[in-house]
Amino acid sequence: MSSRALAKIILCGEHAVVYGQPAIAAPFEALCVTVESQPGESGSGLTIRAHDTGQELHIVSDNETYGDALSYAAQLFLLELHMPIPDLILDVHSTIPIGGGLGSGAAVTTALMRELGVALGKSLTNEQLNPLVYEVEMLHHGTPSGVDNTVIVYERAVWFVRGQEPQTLTFGAPITLLVADSGIRGSTLETVAHVRQRYESERARVQLLLDQIGSLVKHARIALEAGNHWQLGQVFNANHAALCELGVSTPALDRLVQAAVDAGAQGAKLSGGGGGGNIIALVDPATAHKVSSALSQAGAVYIWQTSISSGS
Ligand code: PMV
């Protein structure tokens, strides 16, 4: 038996979404987490083997707190369903880079909870699962907006505003993106804290930037729904500039964004928490290869091409 959760891409609105502005995010089908289960020996408790990080965790007692996100996710799920610790082995495999702004944490939690549900015959609905994944996200991010868990659990492109029901977006035409990894791991916890600190010390200036990003996201929605990729590209560029002003970009990310635009991308921006991680570039599929080789020359360590359309 196995369960899966996809990575995600924030198209626009990251950081400002923490302050109540909208964000647009979509599943990223090139990368995913898979969790397989098999029965454990009687009395062995729950074993979680995270093959990509080399972690092997043993949960044997309800009363113990284990401190890591995987154990917390499993315990939270069992608590929600009033289930005792099962004799079970969960094998976690992920192709999503950690600290890449692609939702690795939320995807691991989602796949793990789904597989626990399958193994125990007690699956949760997405509506039940989403707040549980959010709770584990708090360990990773401190004050997450909820955009990551929402897009990963529902697995569709969403318009997300903190505290509101997510809306499914209808794209006028599919978009093609290149996702390029700077190879530098970012800490969303740190970049979110950095923005918070600036928000406290330079409220008027930062509020202006957050409002500006919110207005860009509204333009992005109009562009996406109309299938106007030129306009969407302009929004990406302006959103990246605002994120630079917020102080969450890095020279490596800026280099990748510039290389993509110079090579003919319709627009490019960092995606996710920043401080490292990935950029996304909106491209015409016919000329994507040119942008891809420019990104590679500018230092991208991985480049994925993906197409996103409504409901995906
Ligand atoms: O997990 P990441 O790196 O994709 O970042 C999430 C997006 C932020 O807006 C920076 C934080 C949040 O909670 O929404």
Side-chain angles (χ1 to χ4, degrees):
M1 284 188 288
S2 75
S3 298
R4 182 209 70 163
L6 298 178
K8 70 98 208 345
I9 305 168
I10 297 184
L11 297 183
C12 45
E14 52 274 270
H15 286 289
V17 69
V18 175
Y19 297 81
Q21 300 290 347
I24 297 174
F28 180 28
E29 293 182 6
L31 300 173
C32 71
V33 174
T34 309
V35 179
E36 288 165 9
S37 66
Q38 54 178 298
E41 279 176 28
S42 170
S44 61
L46 177 61
T47 299
I48 304 174
R49 300 191 292 220
H51 293 270
D52 307 282
T53 58
Q55 272 175 300
E56 176 157 333
L57 307 161
H58 298 279
I59 303 171
V60 286
S61 161
D62 280 330
N63 301 321
E64 228 173 295
T65 318
Y66 294 87
D68 65 278
L70 287 168
S71 306
Y72 184 55
Q75 285 187 305
L76 201 62
F77 183 89
L78 295 170
L79 197 70
E80 177 77 12
L81 290 169
H82 308 288
M83 302 274 296
I85 293 168
D87 295 324
L88 196 69
I89 300 169
L90 294 177
D91 285 297
V92 182
H93 293 274
S94 176
T95 57
I96 310 175
I98 296 170
L102 298 174
S104 146
V108 167
T109 305
T110 302
L112 185 134
M113 287 186 173
R114 281 198 179 128
E115 185 55 19
L116 258 179
V118 170
L120 302 174
K122 295 260 185 184
S123 296
L124 296 180
T125 62
N126 287 342
E127 287 67 29
Q128 291 170 310
L129 189 58
N130 198 25
L132 294 184
V133 181
Y134 178 79
E135 216 168 310
V136 181
E137 282 290 282
M138 288 168 80
L139 274 190
H140 293 291
H141 287 185
T143 55
S145 64
V147 63
D148 278 22
N149 48 283
T150 300
V151 69
I152 285 170
V153 167
Y154 288 96
E155 229 169 77
R156 56 177 194 241
V158 293
W159 168 268
F160 177 87
V161 178
R162 192 171 191 167
Q164 297 181 11
E165 280 297 304
Q167 296 173 27
T168 303
L169 288 179
T170 307
F171 289 14
I175 57 169
T176 303
L177 296 175
L178 293 178
V179 180
D181 190 339
S182 67
I184 299 162
R185 304 279 62 96
S187 162
T188 300
L189 191 67
E190 279 172 25
T191 54
V192 167
H194 172 76
V195 174
R196 173 65 61 189
Q197 189 208 329
R198 289 201 47 203
Y199 183 73
E200 301 301 343
S201 60
E202 302 169 63
R203 178 72 59 102
R205 184 167 135 78
V206 171
Q207 188 61 58
L208 209 65
L209 284 169
L210 299 173
D211 291 345
Q212 189 195 337
I213 293 175
S215 140
L216 286 169
V217 178
K218 288 178 193 141
H219 281 100
R221 180 177 188 162
I222 295 166
L224 274 168
E225 288 176 341
N228 184 339
H229 296 170
W230 179 83
Q231 191 187 353
L232 184 63
Q234 299 297 302
V235 168
F236 275 19
N237 293 338
N239 194 167
H240 184 73
L243 288 164
C244 288
E245 289 262 321
L246 274 183
V248 298
S249 191
T250 65
L253 292 171
D254 292 344
R255 217 168 21 248
L256 293 178
V257 164
Q258 194 59 51
V261 172
D262 289 347
Q266 288 147 320
K269 62 181 281 293
L270 74 82
S271 179
N278 286 269
I279 68 118
I280 53 173
L282 181 67
V283 293
D284 179 338
T287 52
H289 62 282
K290 284 192 194 151
V291 180
S292 182
S293 57
L295 283 167
S296 191
Q297 274 170 21
V301 295
Y302 288 106
I303 301 162
W304 300 272
Q305 181 168 335
T306 186
S307 171
I308 306 175
S309 52
S310 314
S312 66

